[in-house]
Amino acid sequence: MLKAKNVSYKNILKNISFWANRGTVTGIIGENGSGKTTFLKALSGFLKFSGRISVNGKDIKKIPVNLRTSLINYLPQEFPQTELTPFDILNITGEFKKIHGREIKNIISSYNLTQIASQPFLSLSGGEKVRVFLAKIELINPLIVLLDEPSAFLDIKITNILKKFVERMKRLSKTVIIVSNDLNFTINISNHIVGIKNGSLISQSGTDIQQFLEKVYETKIKLTKIDKKYFIF
Amino acid sequence: MYRRTVLGFLVTGIVSICYLLIGNPSSEIIRIIRSPEFLLTFSAGSILAVSGVIFQNVLSNPLADPYILGISAGSGLGAVIGFYFGKDPHIFSLLTGIITVFLLLLMAKFLNSKLKLLLFGVGLNTLFSSLIVFLIAFGKIENFPSILFFLMGFIPIISLKKAVFFLFLSLILLFILLPFSKKVDALALGDSFAYFTGINPEKERIVLIFITSVFIAFTISQTGIIGFVGIVIPHIGRFLKILRTKKLLLFSFFAGGNALLIAKSILKFGFPTTDIPVGTVTALIGAPIFIGVLVRSKRFA
C-alpha cells in the first residue's frame, strides 16, 4: 500500500494526503500545471518533498535508493535522447537488478521489440519508446507502477498494449497510479479518480463523476455512459 | 572487448616504438628524453580523454570537459600566480586546480542542476581567464613565453621516475572508473532514468566528477592546458558506435594517449627547430575532425 501524508513541495504541492491499495488503479487528473507530474515524482521519492510517503508502512526517505526501484517504478513523460538501443537500455536496467540475459530476451519478444532492439532509441517512434519503457518496468517488476501521461499521442494499437499492461499489473496485485489528461482512457481504466487543483488534492467523494470532472477542470463537460464505459466530449 | 584491448595495446606499441626510435637516437637520449616524454604524453592524453567521457556522460552534455567546467583555467591561474611570485608554478597550479574542483562540487550540491553547474563552470572559466590576463599584464615580461606554453599545453622534460608515476596515474584512473561504467551509462540517460534503475544521481555524479577532476588537476599541473583531447576523443568513439561507457573508456584511454603522442610526434619530428606548444597541434588537428564528426553525426539533429 502506498500512503502519502501532508506532502508538500516548494509551492507546487500543498499538504497532499493520499493512499492507494494493492491491486487497484488510481487515476490522477487535473489541469496542465496543476502539479500532477510533480506529485507523481514526489510519490517515487525522486523529489525532496516535505511530509511522509510510505510503502507498506516503510518511510520512503529511509529506504536506500538502490532498493526503491524494486518498490516503485515510473514511466516518464519525456524519454532520454540517446543513441543507445532498446537492447542496451534494458541491459543497463538488468545489470543493476542482476537480471539474466534470457529474461531480457523474453521481455524483448513479448513486447514485440525484436525488430527494433538494435536501433538507436532516439530514432524510434513515440509508441515504440513507450513500449521499451513498459518493458523496462516489467523487467524490474516493482510493487508500485507510476505512469505519467502514458496515453498521450498514442495510436489505438499502442493504447491497447498499454491497457493490457495496466490490467496485467492490476492482476499481479500491483498498485498502479496514472497521471493523465486523457479522460476517456483514465476514467475507464481506474478504480478511483482523484483530482489535483493548484497543488491541492480534490477527492470525488459525494459527487458524481460529471460534477467531479467539472469541479476539477472548471468547465462544462458532456459525459455519456455506453456499455459501462464513459465517453467524454 | 578483449579484441579491442589487444588492438589498443598493438597500436600503442607501434606508435611508441616509432616515437622512441625515429631518427635513430642514442640510448642516452631514449632513456633521458624520449621515454619520459613518451610516457607523460601518453598518460596525459589518456587521462584527458577518459575524463571527457566521464564529464560528458555524467552531466549528459556533449560539451562537458575540464576546460568548459573551469578546472583548466583554475589550474592555469595557479601556474600564473606561481610565475608571478617566482614560486613553483606546478604546485600552485595543482592547488588552485583542486580548489576549483571543490568549488564546483560545492556548487553542484547547491545548484542542483546539471546545466546550471555547466554554466557555473563557464562563468568560472571566464573569471579565471581574465584574472590570468590581468596577472600576466602586471608580471615580468621574461616569464611570458613560459606562461604562454602553460596556457596552450606542452610536454615538459621530466625524470623517468616521474613519468612512470604519471603512467600509473592514468592506469589508476582507468581502473577506478571502469567499475563505475554501468552507473555512468545510467546517468548518461538522465537523472530520472538513473534514479529508477537504483542510483542516487546527485551522489554518484559528485563522486565521479571529484575523482576525475583530481586526476585532471594533477595532469594540468605538469602539462598545462592541453585542449580538445578531452572533447574530441570521446566523440570519435561515439561516432564509431562505441556507446557503452566501459568500451568508450577503454577506447578513449588508448585513443587519447595515442592521439596526443601523434600530435607530439608531428611537432617533434616535423618542426624540430620551432618550439610550438602541443596544445596548438591538438586543437589544429582536433577542431576539423571534431567539426567533421559533428556534421556527419545524426545524434544532435
Side-chain angles (χ1 to χ4, degrees):
Chain A
M1 179 158 107
L2 179 66
K3 210 169 176 178
K5 203 162 180 233
N6 296 330
V7 170
S8 299
Y9 178 76
K10 292 185 177 164
N11 51 6
I12 304 172
L13 303 177
K14 295 159 194 156
N15 263 326
I16 295 186
S17 294
F18 166 92
W19 73 92
N21 280 328
R22 293 179 62 184
T24 63
V25 179
T26 307
I28 301 179
I29 57 170
E31 292 170 278
N32 295 327
S34 58
K36 300 186 301 290
T37 295
T38 310
F39 182 55
L40 210 58
K41 283 184 177 167
L43 278 180
S44 71
F46 181 65
L47 294 179
K48 290 192 178 69
F49 58 91
S50 69
R52 186 186 144 103
I53 288 170
S54 60
V55 180
N56 292 339
K58 271 185 233 155
D59 187 346
I60 188 147
K61 285 178 185 168
K62 288 181 184 143
I63 302 170
V65 174
N66 61 336
L67 300 180
R68 286 184 204 171
T69 50
S70 328
L71 297 177
I72 303 183
N73 229 285
Y74 173 75
L75 177 79
Q77 215 177 119
E78 280 164 23
F79 298 104
Q81 281 281 326
T82 177
E83 245 187 317
L84 290 172
T85 63
F87 186 68
D88 287 327
I89 290 174
L90 294 174
N91 255 326
I92 292 169
T93 309
E95 281 162 9
F96 281 94
K97 297 270 147 235
K98 307 254 182 303
I99 293 166
H100 294 293
R102 180 177 301 174
E103 235 174 293
I104 292 171
K105 276 193 186 124
N106 287 343
I107 286 281
I108 286 177
S109 63
S110 71
Y111 274 85
N112 262 328
L113 297 171
T114 320
Q115 294 275 322
I116 53 166
S118 10
Q119 281 174 28
F121 184 75
L122 52 70
S123 71
L124 303 183
S125 73
E128 288 167 336
K129 287 176 182 170
V130 168
R131 262 157 58 204
V132 173
F133 270 69
L134 289 180
K136 181 199 166 220
I137 292 175
E138 188 135 2
L139 198 62
I140 292 178
N141 191 24
L143 292 178
I144 297 159
V145 178
L146 310 175
L147 307 172
D148 193 358
E149 296 283 0
S151 57
F153 314 116
L154 294 188
D155 62 44
I156 185 114
K157 188 176 152 200
I158 312 282
T159 310
N160 282 338
I161 291 175
L162 185 67
K163 274 182 190 157
K164 274 185 197 148
F165 173 86
V166 174
E167 295 296 341
R168 190 164 58 250
M169 291 295 125
K170 208 168 135 182
R171 268 205 311 281
L172 294 167
S173 305
K174 315 273 184 204
T175 309
V176 182
I177 296 173
I178 301 172
V179 153
S180 181
N181 272 326
D182 182 349
L183 297 178
N184 281 323
F185 174 80
T186 315
I187 291 172
N188 289 313
I189 209 163
S190 305
N191 302 88
H192 316 281
I193 298 275
V194 294
I196 290 188
K197 196 164 179 58
N198 297 325
S200 301
L201 199 82
I202 305 176
S203 71
Q204 198 199 327
S205 62
T207 51
D208 76 4
I209 183 90
Q210 177 154 5
Q211 283 174 323
F212 173 65
L213 293 179
E214 288 181 345
K215 194 172 152 198
V216 171
Y217 288 99
E218 285 181 331
T219 181
K220 282 266 165 252
I221 285 170
K222 203 172 163 213
L223 193 85
T224 321
K225 200 170 180 183
I226 309 168
D227 196 16
K228 286 184 190 168
K229 285 198 185 302
Y230 291 102
F231 292 90
I232 291 142
F233 306 99
Chain B
M1 190 87 159
Y2 177 73
R3 272 213 331 258
R4 280 178 208 231
T5 316
V6 172
L7 185 72
F9 274 115
L10 212 70
V11 172
T12 312
I14 294 168
V15 174
S16 64
I17 287 169
C18 292
Y19 190 84
L20 293 175
L21 299 180
I22 280 180
N24 206 5
S26 69
S27 61
E28 199 84 314
I29 286 180
I30 294 181
R31 194 161 48 84
I32 298 172
I33 296 176
R34 294 229 178 150
S35 303
E37 247 178 16
F38 153 72
L39 290 174
L40 181 61
T41 311
F42 181 84
S43 321
S46 59
I47 290 177
L48 287 169
V50 160
S51 71
V53 174
I54 296 298
F55 285 132
Q56 285 154 27
N57 280 0
V58 155
L59 294 168
S60 340
N61 194 308
L63 286 173
D65 76 337
Y67 184 81
I68 209 162
L69 280 167
I71 301 166
S72 300
S75 306
L77 180 63
V80 176
I81 292 173
F83 281 118
Y84 186 82
F85 290 108
K87 299 269 173 9
D88 184 0
H90 303 305
I91 291 182
F92 271 83
S93 158
L94 183 61
L95 227 85
T96 51
I98 288 177
I99 291 171
T100 313
V101 172
F102 275 106
L103 215 61
L104 272 173
L105 294 183
L106 203 73
M107 285 311 271
K109 194 97 186 109
F110 176 72
L111 291 172
N112 209 357
S113 146
K114 290 180 283 188
L115 194 61
K116 271 191 189 168
L117 180 64
L118 208 71
L119 290 172
F120 173 72
V122 172
L124 271 189
N125 189 8
T126 318
L127 180 70
F128 290 153
S129 304
S130 50
L131 280 175
I132 287 172
V133 175
F134 218 72
L135 275 179
I136 292 173
F138 284 102
K140 294 191 196 88
I141 194 84
E142 63 261 32
N143 280 336
F144 193 70
S146 326
I147 292 178
L148 187 69
F149 257 68
F150 196 94
L151 295 180
M152 290 306 293
F154 67 114
I155 300 296
I157 293 167
I158 55 174
S159 68
L160 189 58
K161 228 190 219 163
K162 213 168 171 184
V164 171
F165 167 74
F166 271 93
L167 183 68
F168 268 115
L169 223 54
S170 68
L171 284 168
I172 290 169
L173 180 64
L174 181 69
F175 283 108
I176 291 178
L177 292 177
L178 281 176
F180 276 99
S181 302
K182 288 182 213 163
K183 288 183 176 173
V184 177
D185 275 330
L187 281 168
L189 288 166
D191 282 10
S192 158
F193 185 94
Y195 179 80
F196 289 105
T197 28
I199 298 171
N200 186 338
E202 272 170 58
K203 195 186 114 201
E204 300 294 341
R205 181 159 47 240
I206 285 180
V207 168
L208 282 158
I209 291 181
F210 176 71
I211 297 171
T212 350
S213 305
V214 169
F215 281 79
I216 282 292
F218 262 101
T219 311
I220 293 178
S221 75
Q222 282 303 319
T223 66
I225 304 167
I226 299 173
F228 250 72
V229 179
I231 200 160
V232 170
I233 299 293
H235 281 300
I236 292 178
R238 293 190 190 102
F239 184 66
L240 296 172
K241 295 275 168 237
I242 303 169
L243 299 172
R244 293 293 299 268
T245 302
K246 197 175 188 179
K247 289 180 185 168
L248 192 57
L249 279 174
L250 271 173
F251 167 82
S252 300
F253 178 81
F254 287 112
N258 284 309
L260 198 57
L261 263 179
I262 290 168
K264 173 74 184 160
S265 312
I266 291 174
L267 275 185
K268 193 177 170 79
F269 306 118
F271 307 92
T273 51
T274 352
D275 233 356
I276 309 170
V278 73
T280 330
V281 181
T282 59
L284 218 57
I285 303 173
I289 294 179
F290 184 60
I291 292 168
V293 167
L294 203 64
V295 169
R296 295 195 53 187
S297 167
K298 292 186 186 80
R299 271 190 310 133
F300 308 115

